Amino acid sequence: ALYEHPDPRRGEHKDWGTLIFDYGRNEVRNFLVANALYWFEEFHVDGYRMDATAYMNPGSHAASGWALMQRLNNEKYNRWADKITIAENLPNNEWVSKPAAEGGAGFDSQYHMLFRDAVRNAIFTAAFGDPDMNSVRSGLLGSGQYINFVKALNYVQLHDEAWPSSGGQRLVKTIDGSYPSNDEWAKGRSKLAE
């Protein structure tokens, strides 16, 4: 509770039912940055993914959450040329992976939700009666503002899509709803997507 936002009405994370960090407090920012740098220094990790960055800068946290991301990425950038940071920022926002010097958050890359949607839609369309490989090809090649953005981490499924409590499930189970979801066509189409 020491690091959480003091006003539960402004600091509650409605999707998870918890309070969020009070990014406006210097102690909180120092703790979070020191923790990330500790992983780089002590454990020599090559990089990390920051979860739910879109929730770090809403409303009253807009300036402080954004400043924290910029500070973290600037410190990483100034100390290590070989380390990366990836933002889980859904939906996509090109400012998240623009350099902090240009006003961006400074992440090296971000998850690319539009790529995921295009490929999943093509695979589902093929699985349910229209096996048009051109639609799969179009999904893989991409189109639109963010699909061709070089700082995008393309993916097809993550833990967020597969959580049963959020109504999600793995591709193979969506394609083949029967237990134990081991239809060869469903497995093949899932492998194609991945």
Side-chain angles (χ1 to χ4, degrees):
L2 181 65
Y3 294 103
E4 294 171 346
H5 197 282
D7 182 352
R9 292 169 296 163
R10 291 175 47 206
E12 183 181 0
H13 193 299
K14 297 192 184 338
D15 291 332
W16 298 306
T18 60
L19 295 179
I20 60 176
F21 286 114
D22 185 359
Y23 302 115
R25 293 180 56 205
N26 197 40
E27 308 93 309
V28 173
R29 291 190 307 273
N30 289 341
F31 169 76
L32 294 171
V33 171
N35 185 282
L37 298 179
Y38 176 75
W39 281 92
F40 285 138
E41 291 169 355
E42 187 68 24
F43 298 107
H44 308 287
V45 296
D46 295 325
Y48 62 85
R49 171 191 66 97
M50 186 173 282
D51 193 49
T53 55
Y55 291 100
M56 290 179 65
N57 59 346
S60 63
H61 303 284
S64 57
W66 195 260
L68 171 66
M69 291 186 277
Q70 289 177 319
R71 175 181 165 192
L72 182 78
N73 287 309
N74 276 337
E75 291 204 29
K76 184 267 313 176
Y77 178 78
N78 289 330
R79 293 170 121 179
W80 298 282
D82 61 338
K83 309 286 186 190
I84 63 167
T85 53
I86 300 167
E88 182 201 40
N89 198 83
L90 309 174
N92 303 112
N93 174 356
E94 66 182 294
W95 284 94
V96 169
S97 48
K98 284 189 177 184
E102 296 175 21
F107 286 94
D108 297 298
S109 184
Q110 64 180 290
Y111 281 13
H112 192 202
M113 193 167 88
L114 295 178
F115 175 88
R116 176 207 65 191
D117 292 346
V119 172
R120 286 173 68 97
N121 288 339
I123 293 298
F124 291 154
T125 300
F128 297 113
D130 185 9
D132 177 9
M133 292 307 292
N134 282 328
S135 65
V136 175
R137 179 184 179 277
S138 294
L140 291 171
L141 292 177
S143 64
Q145 184 178 3
Y146 298 107
I147 301 263
N148 297 318
F149 190 55
V150 296
K151 294 192 171 204
L153 182 98
N154 294 330
Y155 71 99
V156 178
Q157 61 183 347
L158 297 172
H159 62 280
D160 291 323
E161 286 87 21
W163 275 357
S165 62
S166 66
Q169 58 190 7
R170 295 280 177 206
L171 287 173
V172 68
K173 192 171 180 180
T174 302
I175 295 169
D176 176 16
S178 66
Y179 182 80
S181 304
N182 63 355
D183 176 77
E184 290 302 316
W185 290 102
K187 287 198 277 187
R189 288 182 172 110
S190 296
K191 288 178 186 176
L192 174 64
E194 293 176 3

